[in-house]
Amino acid sequence: MRTLTLRGGARVAVVAAQWHDVFAVVSRGRVQLELRDGEPGPVLGRDAGFWLRGTGVRALRNPGRRTARVRIVTPAARTLTCESTPVRQLPNDGGTT
């Protein structure tokens, strides 16, 4: 999980290709969505979750003075690759565990 930190008044552009499978949650402060036409969108507060796929949002802004944080969640298959490892089984000595 990544965290996006936005200082007061900061703006970060949303590149659709990078955000298409991301779920975001505001964990601190407030975040305002900037719409496709540059108009201000809704302001999301703490614990608000949102998808950006297909919304046309072009930026995230922090409308306040305090730092805002957004947790970025991506599908596990894209962030973590695991290889299976054989597990060695211990001999059964008749005891309990």
Side-chain angles (χ1 to χ4, degrees), residues 14-87:
V14 171
V15 178
Q18 296 173 348
W19 289 79
H20 78 281
D21 63 349
V22 168
F23 183 75
V25 178
V26 179
S27 61
R28 179 179 177 193
R30 297 180 310 140
V31 174
Q32 184 171 31
L33 307 180
E34 181 181 309
L35 305 178
R36 177 179 321 177
D37 58 3
E39 291 295 315
V43 176
L44 306 174
R46 187 168 187 240
D47 294 333
F50 57 98
W51 293 95
L52 293 177
R53 173 187 254 169
T55 63
V57 170
R58 71 179 196 179
L60 300 177
R61 293 178 174 260
N62 179 350
R65 293 187 211 177
R66 295 184 180 182
T67 300
R69 289 198 179 107
V70 179
R71 296 282 183 159
I72 308 298
V73 182
T74 57
R78 298 208 26 159
T79 58
L80 178 63
T81 304
C82 297
E83 293 182 23
S84 61
T85 306
V87 177

